[in-house]
Amino acid sequence: MSKRVLTTESGAPVADNQNSASAGIGGPLLLQDQHLLEKLARFNRERIPERVVHARGSGAYGYFEVTDDVTGFTHADFLSSVGRRTQLFLRFSTVADSLGGADAVRDPRGFAVKFYTEQGNYDLVGNNTPVFFIKDPIKFPDFIHSQKRDPFTGRQEPDNVWDFWAHSPEATHQVTWLMGDRGIPASYRHMNGYGSHTYQWTNAEGEAFFVKYHFKTNQGVRSLSSDQAAELAGKNPNSHQTDLLQAIERGVNPSWTLHVQIMPAADAAEYRFNPFDLTKVWPHLDYPLQRVGRLVLDRNPDNVFAEVEQAAFSPNNFVPGIGPSPDKMLQGRLFAYADAHRYRLGVNHTLLAVNAPKATTAQNYGRDGLMASNSQGRGAKNYEPNSYDGPTETGRALSAPLSVTGYTGTHEAPQHTKDDDFYQAGELYRLMSSEERSRLVANIAGGLSQVSRDDVIEKNLAHFHAADPEYGRRVEEAVHALRED
């Protein structure tokens, strides 16, 4: 069988891929060596800007299968019948570290799902925790700056991390999650995923419901201790990537069962705390989990850069029957995620294979920009409305309208009768076994004791005292013991 011919990017055959053209033997290289210049220029541009957050990721393809009837709550087509399957891509990630970081670190994990539905792509962009550190997106850049590498020292600084949390009491719940046993998953397969935000479902009759998504791992939850993680990160920084890749390659396809909590829209106004607050969970006694279906991963990407690094998830990619809620953090992400992809990948990132719709065809009037393809056809119009049979609007909203009232301004979130930054953190602490509490206290004290300012330490200790007296006392004693050593 004849070998395939190596070519330049323009398709011309390459005569010599081992030696650069020079002015005589041993002479200087020639500017006319197009193959050399093309290779070096492309190599210089092989990397795009990494994500500011969620930079280090892994992903796989699979499907979602509906197992339970939820048509009373949403008219989303891909959830319309038991047994229906929808292809998907799922990207896991760490949040704070860079692309070159290790997998086995104490950090929240991204859990982003792109459903390739027949009504367009639906992106559900969540984490492996049901809550987050802040409740307003205007604080997000400051939060991330406090957690990333310090611009002077070039490393993550405990002073920065804990100083931000000291001034953000709403972070106490998520800090308790992060510093607890589930703060370092043993693998991506052995952790739950959550939509985290509150979303809206609308049924065929126009009734609106607020929902929270819970993906429960069918492999069982497994986590690493701080010591186990430190050893694993040193031996195999790619531990989670390797585990996911090898499991799927040998046919051990990981799966998750999707459940939702469903709140009738009318309940939201009078609920005892703000149901759109990302720092809080809805107690299951109030809104029990209802099973929806099963998510299975069964195929690895062929090219990690093209399919994992260039995968672009945007929470504003909804489909009919699903929409946003007044969750402030979600509202901010509706803009920020799509804008990040336009910066990193260009305005035509939705044309990349991993991001393009697969069960339908995108039809719109977007044109030109970097990496534009001439896919619109000769004579196709680039405006709407037109008289040339171009795509037209449906007049049907994707979801029910949200009621608004009051005056514009920079308002704090509305106060409900039981709104509190500490109660749920205390509830989580009291759910833990004595061994889990001890590990939680040790993890918090290990970081907080490194802070240089006593006032920052005291502010953080006050948060743990407010969550639970025992919680606060034990953290305080542990921090003081470490600082006296």
Side-chain angles (χ1 to χ4, degrees):
M1 186 174 66
S2 60
K3 294 183 177 179
R4 291 185 297 159
V5 174
L6 176 67
T7 74
T8 64
E9 293 184 29
S10 63
V14 173
D16 190 342
N17 194 44
Q18 315 304 318
N19 303 287
S20 302
S22 62
I25 298 175
L29 301 185
L30 298 177
L31 187 63
Q32 71 184 40
D33 189 344
Q34 186 262 353
H35 182 49
L36 169 66
L37 300 186
E38 183 178 85
K39 286 185 71 175
L40 293 179
R42 168 167 279 278
F43 180 75
N44 286 343
R45 294 163 175 81
E46 278 186 356
R47 294 295 171 263
I48 60 176
E50 69 175 45
R51 291 167 168 87
V52 178
V53 290
H54 297 276
R56 182 173 181 81
S58 303
Y61 293 94
Y63 63 87
F64 179 78
E65 181 177 6
V66 179
T67 58
D68 295 78
D69 182 10
V70 291
T71 55
F73 306 106
T74 178
H75 65 91
D77 187 60
F78 80 104
L79 299 175
S80 62
S81 59
V82 172
R84 183 158 188 169
R85 285 191 177 186
T86 299
Q87 297 304 304
L88 60 85
F89 183 79
L90 196 159
R91 185 179 187 270
F92 305 99
S93 57
T94 54
V95 174
D97 214 343
S98 63
L99 190 58
D103 288 338
V105 294
R106 188 171 297 279
D107 198 15
R109 301 301 193 275
F111 193 99
V113 188
K114 185 181 294 291
F115 298 90
Y116 300 109
T117 90
E118 293 182 9
Q119 295 179 308
N121 290 352
Y122 171 43
D123 290 354
L124 181 58
V125 188
N127 285 326
N128 72 326
T129 59
V131 294
F132 197 60
F133 298 93
I134 54 176
K135 62 181 74 174
D136 193 301
I138 204 167
K139 298 180 70 170
F140 188 74
D142 301 292
F143 165 64
I144 293 301
H145 287 166
S146 75
Q147 309 296 302
K148 300 283 278 188
R149 297 177 186 270
D150 182 89
F152 174 65
T153 66
R155 65 185 186 186
Q156 189 182 58
E157 289 293 343
D159 276 0
N160 300 351
V161 171
W162 289 95
D163 186 40
F164 183 88
W165 288 343
H167 291 88
S168 305
E170 70 270 26
T172 308
H173 192 187
Q174 174 72 326
V175 170
T176 305
W177 271 90
L178 178 63
M179 297 299 174
D181 280 0
R182 296 195 183 189
I184 314 177
S187 79
Y188 289 132
R189 296 183 297 127
H190 293 93
M191 69 181 195
N192 294 334
Y194 301 89
S196 301
H197 296 288
T198 301
Y199 294 90
Q200 186 203 75
W201 277 6
T202 309
N203 66 17
E205 289 71 42
E207 293 178 286
F209 303 86
F210 293 118
V211 300
K212 283 186 175 290
Y213 294 89
H214 301 250
F215 292 89
K216 299 292 188 179
T217 175
N218 294 323
Q219 292 70 237
V221 172
R222 285 179 48 204
S223 303
L224 301 173
S225 68
S226 296
D227 290 341
Q228 290 172 324
E231 180 179 358
L232 181 59
K235 289 182 176 179
N236 181 11
N238 305 302
S239 57
H240 289 29
Q241 161 68 16
T242 302
D243 175 85
L244 181 66
L245 174 76
Q246 293 181 348
I248 295 175
E249 286 297 292
R250 65 177 186 267
V252 182
N253 297 329
S255 66
W256 288 258
T257 299
L258 172 61
H259 299 82
V260 293
Q261 291 177 282
I262 300 176
M263 173 188 289
D267 288 9
E270 301 301 325
Y271 195 51
R272 63 182 182 275
F273 59 82
N274 181 3
F276 310 117
D277 182 346
L278 184 56
T279 68
K280 294 182 174 64
V281 298
W282 298 352
H284 292 183
L285 287 176
D286 293 348
Y287 298 100
L289 295 179
Q290 301 188 44
R291 193 177 65 175
V292 180
R294 186 170 64 112
L295 186 157
V296 179
L297 299 180
D298 59 7
R299 179 167 69 88
N300 284 309
D302 294 324
N303 184 298
V304 171
F305 175 79
E307 298 165 270
V308 179
E309 184 64 13
Q310 293 194 126
F313 300 85
S314 298
N316 58 1
N317 286 341
F318 293 113
V319 293
I322 303 177
S325 77
D327 179 339
K328 281 190 173 185
M329 283 294 293
L330 174 59
Q331 293 284 322
R333 294 176 82 204
L334 297 182
F335 162 76
Y337 272 58
D339 189 58
H341 304 317
R342 294 183 191 107
Y343 163 68
R344 293 183 62 247
L345 304 169
V347 72
N348 288 303
H349 66 273
T350 55
L351 303 180
L352 296 171
V354 69
N355 299 322
K358 299 189 183 302
T360 187
T361 302
Q363 301 184 86
N364 55 61
Y365 296 94
R367 294 291 190 275
D368 306 334
L370 291 174
M371 302 299 292
S373 64
N374 186 25
S375 60
Q376 301 298 333
R378 183 175 181 178
K381 304 304 178 186
N382 64 342
Y383 59 88
E384 196 278 336
N386 62 61
S387 303
Y388 295 86
D389 198 30
T392 60
E393 63 195 21
T394 66
R396 298 188 298 272
L398 298 186
S399 57
L402 297 171
S403 175
V404 296
T405 185
Y407 298 93
T408 60
T410 54
H411 306 291
E412 292 186 5
Q415 290 295 303
H416 292 233
T417 57
K418 297 289 185 180
D419 271 336
D420 179 282
D421 288 329
F422 308 111
Y423 178 76
Q424 289 200 351
E427 286 282 274
L428 180 57
Y429 176 81
R430 290 184 287 273
L431 283 173
M432 296 179 181
S433 68
S434 59
E435 292 81 8
E436 289 173 323
R437 294 182 189 184
S438 295
R439 290 189 290 269
L440 168 67
V441 168
N443 291 333
I444 293 174
L448 188 54
S449 63
Q450 299 178 51
V451 173
S452 61
R453 289 181 50 163
D454 290 340
D455 62 321
V456 173
I457 293 176
E458 293 303 319
K459 284 180 180 177
N460 279 284
L461 291 176
H463 297 168
F464 301 121
H465 279 290
D468 183 274
E470 178 194 294
Y471 189 8
R473 175 183 57 78
R474 293 183 64 178
V475 171
E476 183 171 6
E477 290 173 352
V479 168
H480 289 166
L482 288 172
R483 287 174 68 81
E484 289 171 359
D485 286 346

